[in-house]
Amino acid sequence: MIDSTDSGATMPTVSLNSFLKILSKTSPQKVAEYGRYLKPGGYDFYWMLKEALRARTLEGKNFAECSLPISKINRITEKKHNLDALKSFEKWINPITDTEFFDVPSAVISSPGGTLKIKLEPSFGYVWEGQRRLVHTWATQSPSLTQNLAACGLYLLKENLCLAEFSDCIPSILDLRKRSLFISDAIPRVVGPMVASELAWADEFFNAQSSAAA
């Protein structure tokens, strides 16, 4: 699902989840996926889920209050997937409702060549046994969030968000489809070059498209 494209800008903007999804694909598939961002438009399928997660954690609202806006979504498929993800989150969070939650930083980073932007927007932070964690959520239907794919996301979160007053924080990705939490205790060294390679691929693709259109 396309998340957004900057209106009037030449630099497409994707969510972290969309970037990871594209990263998992073959080169021909990447051409098709990145090609979708050459035109303005797009829609964040899970924007109401993100609002609900923040309300549940940072605002202390209960499940019924958080699910009410989602229940009013007109698109049946969108309503179902957002509500299913929120129900899964509720099962995950119930054992830790007494913990401390905190607001988290966000950022929009650019590829080295400046052709692509990636939004880093964790949903919330919480404290677990004295450790502060930033939680990014994954509700994407396909592909499955593997350890290697999660590591790429954790790398970007750690390098760009765990800074200054958040330097003590540990980034994590909560897979709402499996209710499993991926944490960056030790990110393999190969992950950094892997992410850099993907960003270079994107730069090459968008530069080629720009040259062809000139």
Side-chain angles (χ1 to χ4, degrees):
M1 185 66 64
I2 295 179
D3 300 283
S4 67
T5 302
D6 289 347
S7 178
T10 58
M11 188 185 300
T13 303
V14 303
S15 69
L16 176 59
N17 286 0
S18 290
F19 176 73
L20 295 178
K21 179 179 178 180
I22 297 173
L23 189 153
S24 72
K25 295 183 177 295
T26 64
S27 291
Q29 292 173 325
K30 289 178 183 180
V31 169
E33 289 292 331
Y34 279 128
R36 299 168 66 196
Y37 292 93
L38 294 172
K39 297 180 180 179
Y43 180 71
D44 186 347
F45 190 81
Y46 287 108
W47 76 269
M48 292 197 74
L49 171 65
K50 296 173 184 176
E51 293 291 323
L53 298 185
R54 289 182 61 84
R56 183 71 179 90
T57 55
L58 302 176
E59 299 173 22
K61 294 184 178 181
N62 59 37
F63 175 80
E65 293 172 309
C66 296
S67 62
L68 184 58
I70 294 177
S71 68
K72 297 179 180 179
I73 296 176
N74 291 326
R75 300 180 183 87
I76 296 177
T77 300
E78 181 180 352
K79 179 194 300 185
K80 179 183 184 304
H81 289 310
N82 275 264
L83 191 55
D84 285 349
L86 182 59
K87 289 177 180 178
S88 179
F89 179 75
E90 186 67 16
K91 292 179 180 179
W92 179 84
I93 199 177
N94 269 335
I96 62 168
T97 50
D98 292 333
T99 193
E100 174 189 349
F101 296 100
F102 60 92
D103 203 357
V104 292
S106 62
V108 178
I109 63 172
S110 299
S111 60
T115 66
L116 179 70
K117 289 183 179 180
I118 303 172
K119 295 181 293 184
L120 306 178
E121 300 175 317
S123 299
F124 62 93
Y126 77 106
V127 180
W128 180 254
E129 297 182 347
Q131 180 187 79
R132 293 208 303 165
R133 296 175 175 177
L134 306 184
V135 183
H136 176 82
T137 52
W138 175 277
T140 303
Q141 303 298 304
S142 178
S144 295
L145 186 62
T146 63
Q147 188 74 45
N148 289 339
L149 203 57
C152 292
L154 294 172
Y155 170 81
L156 286 172
L157 293 170
K158 184 175 183 178
E159 291 294 309
N160 296 282
L161 298 184
C162 297
L163 308 169
E165 70 223 72
F166 297 98
S167 60
D168 64 318
C169 292
I170 302 296
S172 63
I173 299 180
L174 175 60
D175 184 350
L176 293 173
R177 293 184 61 77
K178 300 178 180 179
R179 291 197 295 279
S180 57
L181 189 71
F182 294 84
I183 300 191
S184 67
D185 287 332
I187 299 176
R189 292 183 179 181
V190 69
V191 171
M194 186 185 305
V195 172
S197 176
E198 180 65 24
L199 292 173
W201 197 101
D203 277 337
E204 183 178 351
F205 170 80
F206 286 113
N207 283 330
Q209 295 299 314
S210 180
S211 296

